[in-house]
Amino acid sequence: MSRALLPLGLVLVLAGCAAGPVAPVAPSAPPANPQVGGVAMIETWSTLDNARAAPPLATFARAIDAAGLADALAAPGPVTVFAPTDAAFGRLAPGTLAALLLPENRAALAKLVNYHVVPGRLTVADLKARIAAGGGTTSLTTAEGEPLTLSLVGTTIALTDVGGNKSYVETGDIRDTSGMMHVVNGLMIPTID
């Protein structure tokens, strides 16, 4: 019986060789950047340029400018930015945003914006891997100096600030020249001095 299988196996091997050389498969291109607010995010633009173009990130873009961080967030990183939506800023107490945007509050605003920035180019997959390696949570030190704690709620990445406020990644993996941007639905608040 094994003799009958041998000729069949030989025929299959030879048939595979007769097909000719197999062309190498080109690596697949990364997926297209997601849209934010119906606007395409451009990989060759900076985080700041993409934030300025996306209607739901208009307040974050204004905050970056008012904090004097435009040059830092337009420069090549790599950094990962957790960009809060206008709705997130809208949950601040009445008058708080207007006060933060005043020139005399530039340092406090810079602290707030920098609390949404971490060094390195971290994709959603990278963040989930760190969460898994940490047994369900991981901590990232922000450019502001304080940590953000990340965990998963189902398959969604949750960020928790030092005060226990939570935010969730709504749109992730926006590649840009500064590194990576993830749109979040909440504002992370650092320790206020």
Side-chain angles (χ1 to χ4, degrees):
M1 185 141 143
S2 63
R3 281 194 202 190
L5 292 178
L6 181 61
L8 177 61
L10 187 56
V11 168
L12 291 175
V13 169
L14 292 174
C17 292
V22 176
V25 176
S28 61
N33 258 351
Q35 292 188 354
V36 176
V39 175
M41 298 288 95
I42 309 299
E43 190 168 353
T44 57
W45 289 5
S46 70
T47 295
L48 179 56
D49 291 334
N50 277 314
R52 285 178 176 153
L57 301 178
T59 304
F60 186 58
R62 278 190 16 234
I64 292 168
D65 288 329
L69 297 172
D71 289 342
L73 287 178
V79 295
T80 298
V81 176
F82 296 101
T85 61
D86 290 354
F89 280 99
R91 288 190 284 279
L92 289 170
T96 303
L97 179 59
L100 279 170
L101 293 171
L102 294 172
E104 58 266 25
N105 293 323
R106 186 178 195 177
L109 185 59
K111 185 173 182 161
L112 178 74
V113 170
N114 278 324
Y115 194 52
H116 291 79
V117 179
V118 297
R121 186 175 201 219
L122 301 170
T123 64
V124 166
D126 295 332
L127 297 172
K128 286 182 176 182
R130 286 183 182 208
I131 292 166
T137 63
T138 192
S139 181
L140 301 176
T141 302
T142 67
E144 185 271 335
E146 292 184 280
L148 284 175
T149 301
L150 281 67
S151 60
L152 287 177
V153 176
T155 59
T156 302
I157 296 174
L159 296 86
T160 305
D161 68 19
V162 291
N165 299 305
K166 286 201 181 292
S167 178
Y168 301 89
V169 173
E170 288 185 340
T171 306
D173 289 349
I174 301 166
R175 297 175 311 281
D176 57 45
T177 59
S178 306
M180 189 69 62
M181 180 168 59
H182 306 291
V183 177
V184 295
N185 66 358
L187 197 58
M188 301 287 88
I189 310 293
T191 303
I192 306 297
D193 299 330

